[in-house]
Amino acid sequence: MQVEYIIVGFGLAGMAISKELEDHGHSFVVLDNASQVSSRVAAGVFNPVILKRFTPVWNADEQLDNLFPFYKDISQRLGGEYLTFFDTLKVFKSVEDQNNWFMACDNPLLEKYMDPKIIKSEKQGITHYEGFGKVNGTGRVLVTNVLDDYIKYLKDKEQFLEIPFVHNDLEISDEFVTYKQIKATKVIFAEGYGLKENPFFNYLPLTGTKGEMLFIKAPDLQLTEQIKSSLFVLPVGEDIYWIGATFNWTDKTLNPTDNGRKELLEKLDTMIDVSYEVVDQFGGIRPTVKDRRPLVGKHPKHKNLIVFNGMGTRGVMIAPTVAKQLYHYLENNEPLSKEIDITRFE
Ligand SMILES: Cc1cc2nc3c(=O)[nH]c(=O)nc-3n(C[C@H](O)[C@H](O)[C@H](O)COP(=O)(O)OP(=O)(O)OC[C@H]3O[C@@H](n4cnc5c(N)ncnc54)[C@H](O)[C@@H]3O)c2cc1C
């Protein structure tokens, strides 16, 4: 098989660059071995406001401007619907929280997303607080659905192989690379936390942050919005709520833990006052980076090896925009912005 690109990894990053290449008529094949699950466990929420600090998400406007057409195109291509919208309500625990909210609403970067009106009404099943602040423009991508449908679509075109990429088996020359039976001009590594096993790029400061979450069933909790306090409580239908997430910088395993569950339940019990049953627990490793910016660019020595990683805690918003930049960098020689270019670590 001869293609222009081999893509290693098909999470949100691999999918975004696959779409860019396909949009521009380039040939590629994807290899994925399901060894990382960050995209598959992600709630898929997009929210332009960091609610811990009331600050805007990095490049939020541009990322949202790219996100909607990206999924509209994918829906047309695959025939499914992958976006849902809901309000996000930030819990105010004190009058000081309310004052900070008002101040943030005056920030020109935030005013279109943050509603200055405080919601005083109680929410059934939610512990009494000093009201809520509403963020507009939030929602979620049904990540597992879109990945599954996209994989099926690529498999039908013989562009997707469910196999591991073994880095030592890659033969590299100046003009092309050969991996087993595949000859290509470039390889794009979109391996998420799997980058740690990649001998070409594991010098990059990918830290990785494990996140665990729960599904609970709570019929008495009648929410239509996402509630955000020390955790998020997100309705996903049929009385099921997504509860998350933990942040653990030391444990790099994918399996759910008793400590993770304990932490989530302790926090949840301060947020809701109805009975519930835990129906599932799962986790994954977010590909986070020391300076919280993506890792994009060419290997310092082998220019046909490319990395596309570091989506961090916000792969849903970041991947479509950064994939676009990566495409124009590779095919049109446009420079990458300094904050995402891996040369910042050379
Ligand atoms: C608990 C949790 C909740 C989250 N919630 C959100 C959220 O609500 N909103 C949001 O925007 N982000 C969220 N994130 C972050 C988001 O999931 C990540 O930013 C994003 O998924 C990273 O995508 P990726 O494609 O880089 O990595 P991954 O999704 O990990 O994909 C990497 C792929 O590469 C494959 N791979 C790796 N090595 C190899 C190899 N050698 N050979 C073949 N294949 C290989 C893996 O199998 C995998 O499929 C969350 C993450 C976690 C863990």
Side-chain angles (χ1 to χ4, degrees):
M1 179 192 287
Q2 187 157 351
V3 286
E4 290 170 84
Y5 289 91
I6 297 172
I7 299 172
V8 182
F10 199 78
L12 286 164
M15 180 178 77
I17 192 63
S18 298
K19 178 183 179 300
E20 270 312 309
L21 292 174
E22 188 175 2
D23 287 353
H24 293 90
H26 296 277
S27 59
F28 64 92
V29 63
V30 178
L31 277 60
D32 192 290
N33 65 349
S35 55
Q36 290 295 327
V37 294
S38 185
S39 302
R40 288 185 171 274
V41 301
V45 171
F46 51 87
N47 177 355
V49 186
I50 299 174
L51 287 171
K52 220 182 203 170
R53 298 188 286 273
F54 300 154
T55 50
V57 162
W58 170 67
N59 275 352
D61 289 353
E62 185 191 2
Q63 288 176 11
L64 286 181
D65 284 350
N66 285 320
L67 178 90
F68 301 122
F70 178 89
Y71 282 101
K72 200 169 153 219
D73 280 2
I74 290 191
S75 284
Q76 275 170 1
R77 190 166 300 173
L78 307 181
E81 277 303 324
Y82 306 107
L83 283 177
T84 60
F85 296 88
F86 45 77
D87 290 332
T88 292
L89 300 184
K90 164 71 182 169
V91 162
F92 296 136
K93 290 188 178 158
S94 62
V95 174
E96 194 189 346
D97 277 352
Q98 294 181 355
N99 290 340
N100 290 338
W101 180 268
F102 286 133
M103 269 160 57
C105 287
D106 286 338
N107 179 337
L109 292 174
L110 292 172
E111 62 187 359
K112 61 175 168 278
Y113 301 121
M114 293 174 66
D115 191 332
K117 209 166 62 219
I118 287 189
I119 299 171
K120 296 274 189 193
S121 56
E122 302 268 326
K123 291 270 156 204
Q124 184 181 324
I126 297 289
T127 309
H128 175 76
Y129 289 112
E130 298 296 327
F132 304 94
K134 187 172 89 172
V135 187
N136 304 312
T138 64
R140 87 182 179 97
V141 172
L142 308 183
V143 182
T144 306
N145 298 13
V146 70
L147 288 175
D148 285 346
D149 288 357
Y150 217 127
I151 288 172
K152 184 175 177 312
Y153 168 80
L154 291 176
K155 275 185 179 168
D156 288 347
K157 301 201 303 165
E158 300 186 346
Q159 283 181 271
F160 192 97
L161 302 172
E162 262 167 319
I163 53 169
F165 185 91
V166 181
H167 303 86
N168 287 339
D169 292 346
L170 182 69
E171 291 169 35
I172 308 168
S173 73
D174 286 349
E175 299 302 313
F176 54 84
V177 293
T178 312
Y179 184 72
K180 300 185 193 265
Q181 310 303 324
I182 311 168
K183 189 171 171 185
T185 42
K186 292 185 177 71
V187 188
I188 300 178
F189 293 104
E191 302 159 302
Y193 192 67
L195 187 83
K196 286 285 177 201
E197 307 297 320
N198 180 327
F200 305 109
F201 289 107
N202 63 5
Y203 71 91
L204 293 168
L206 188 80
T207 44
T209 312
K210 181 168 178 175
E212 293 191 53
M213 313 220 262
L214 302 172
F215 275 149
I216 61 163
K217 191 171 175 78
D220 296 332
L221 201 57
Q222 300 283 316
L223 294 179
T224 51
E225 310 92 342
Q226 171 179 226
I227 304 289
K228 187 86 174 69
S229 182
S230 50
L231 296 176
F232 67 78
V233 176
L234 174 66
V236 288
E238 299 180 358
D239 298 329
I240 303 290
Y241 291 84
W242 205 317
I243 310 295
T246 61
F247 286 80
N248 185 320
W249 289 266
T250 49
D251 177 6
K252 306 297 186 193
T253 62
L254 296 179
N255 52 303
T257 62
D258 290 345
N259 281 348
R261 187 185 181 104
K262 187 165 168 269
E263 181 186 331
L264 290 167
L265 293 180
E266 277 174 8
K267 287 182 178 166
L268 180 65
D269 289 342
T270 66
M271 283 182 73
I272 68 174
D273 54 17
V274 290
S275 58
Y276 61 86
E277 167 198 357
V278 176
V279 291
D280 203 0
Q281 182 182 356
F282 43 91
I285 307 193
R286 307 170 182 92
T288 46
V289 183
K290 209 171 60 178
D291 65 359
R292 299 180 185 196
R293 292 292 174 264
L295 296 170
V296 187
K298 294 181 181 168
H299 187 269
K301 182 164 161 231
H302 305 296
K303 300 296 176 195
N304 39 15
L305 305 189
I306 319 296
V307 66
F308 181 28
N309 208 308
M311 302 297 111
T313 57
R314 293 197 173 75
V316 163
M317 282 180 68
I318 293 177
T321 297
V322 178
K324 213 179 250 252
Q325 288 184 33
L326 172 58
Y327 174 77
H328 289 295
Y329 167 69
L330 294 173
E331 291 294 329
N332 300 325
N333 278 326
E334 289 180 18
L336 291 169
S337 67
K338 283 205 166 54
E339 1 176 42
I340 67 169
D341 191 332
I342 54 166
T343 54
R344 71 192 189 277
F345 297 115
E346 275 169 21

